[in-house]
Amino acid sequence: MDFRRIEWIFLVVFVGLNIFLGISYFQAQQVDLATIKSGDAATITDITRDQIKLPRLSKKTPKGDYLASQANSALTAARTNLVKQQVSISEGDYQELQANLDVPITLKKNQELRQMKTFVKNNVYHGKEYEYAPALSNDERVVFAQHPQAGLIYDRRAAVTLHVSDNRLVSYTQTYLTKLNILRDHLSLMSEQDAVIALYRDNDIPNNSAIVSTQLAYSYLLDAKGSTVYV
């Protein structure tokens, strides 16, 4: 018996089998991907059929980190630099500064937001680190979320809240995060479209409603070992 010939036959069969399995696996992956895309398209159609209005949704997958911060007393030192404001600070799990304006600011029609942005930028401790958060605001309570270098944060520990009465800015509260440590970085996140689809499938979006905008931001996860963790 020609064993060398048999070895070659087995080798050829082995290589051929591996090529076949490789092609089959690739085709299966393509089918799965096509199925997912088809399923997403069908879900978007269902969302539209349920009279849910959507903005333009990105399919781009962003990156994110796990962040951690610790309690700080930065606002205590800041209070001495705030002028024309009556300031007090409450202590608890985190510091909160309360400020009443000596002279309330009258907000002009169609210029309210511009005036409030200018006020936060020029009159609030590290005001340039905060940006307007429409999703968290209403007519009497206008929220600016802290946006350090790590990313926008939606949490009561990192916000400036302006209080409006009779179309006048009368007071505000502020919380502030100092150094943020990265616990784990460069995680792949959901795209805007994937996030909306997930909410819809979980019945968290009612019929006949509208998603006005989307915003990627960190939110509170838990407290552990003296640190607050955000994802």
Side-chain angles (χ1 to χ4, degrees):
M1 183 178 291
D2 190 346
F3 287 102
R4 187 171 183 81
R5 183 180 180 187
I6 293 174
E7 287 177 351
W8 274 104
I9 292 173
F10 273 111
L11 179 61
V12 170
V13 171
F14 177 76
V15 172
L17 180 61
N18 275 275
I19 293 173
F20 171 76
L21 292 175
I23 293 173
S24 298
Y25 176 78
F26 175 77
Q27 290 176 336
Q29 292 291 97
Q30 294 299 106
V31 170
D32 288 343
L33 183 60
T35 301
I36 291 172
K37 290 183 177 179
S38 176
D40 288 350
T43 302
I44 293 295
T45 300
D46 291 339
I47 290 174
T48 304
R49 187 181 298 118
D50 287 337
Q51 302 298 313
I52 299 172
K53 296 181 180 180
L54 300 176
R56 185 178 183 86
L57 298 174
S58 172
K59 297 180 182 179
K60 184 178 179 180
T61 302
K63 299 288 185 179
D65 312 310
Y66 278 86
L67 304 177
S69 71
Q70 293 183 327
N72 67 84
S73 57
L75 295 176
T76 299
R79 65 183 300 176
T80 58
N81 297 320
L82 300 175
V83 297
K84 298 182 180 180
Q85 305 174 29
Q86 300 300 314
V87 177
S88 62
I89 293 178
S90 61
E91 304 282 351
D93 294 335
Y94 55 92
Q95 279 194 328
E96 182 178 69
L97 181 148
Q98 298 96 27
N100 293 304
L101 305 189
D102 290 347
V103 180
I105 298 174
T106 299
L107 301 175
K108 299 177 182 179
K109 187 176 181 179
N110 299 324
Q111 298 184 38
E112 297 93 339
L113 183 57
R114 181 185 62 79
Q115 286 181 271
M116 288 186 282
K117 287 181 177 180
T118 300
F119 174 82
V120 171
K121 179 180 178 181
N122 297 330
N123 298 279
V124 172
Y125 177 67
H126 280 290
K128 293 180 181 179
E129 286 190 28
Y130 295 84
E131 68 177 56
Y132 174 55
L136 306 179
S137 304
N138 55 41
D139 291 340
E140 298 179 351
R141 180 175 173 274
V142 182
V143 178
F144 286 72
Q146 190 176 347
H147 193 165
Q149 187 174 358
L152 183 64
I153 299 174
Y154 276 6
D155 183 55
R156 66 181 186 275
R157 301 167 182 81
V160 170
T161 303
L162 306 182
H163 300 283
V164 177
S165 177
D166 295 327
N167 210 40
R168 298 188 306 163
L169 174 58
V170 296
S171 63
Y172 71 90
T173 59
Q174 179 184 11
T175 52
Y176 182 73
L177 297 180
T178 52
K179 183 179 179 181
L180 286 165
N181 298 311
I182 296 177
L183 302 180
R184 184 180 177 187
D185 58 355
H186 302 309
L187 299 173
S188 294
L189 307 177
M190 283 185 171
S191 68
E192 291 179 354
Q193 178 173 290
D194 289 340
V196 169
I197 287 174
L199 290 171
Y200 175 77
R201 288 173 176 169
D202 288 340
N203 297 316
D204 289 327
I205 304 177
N207 294 351
N208 302 301
S209 62
I211 297 176
V212 178
S213 63
T214 60
Q215 178 66 64
L216 179 65
Y218 287 97
S219 62
Y220 169 82
L221 177 63
L222 55 83
D223 290 311
K225 298 181 179 180
S227 295
T228 299
V229 180
Y230 296 93
V231 294

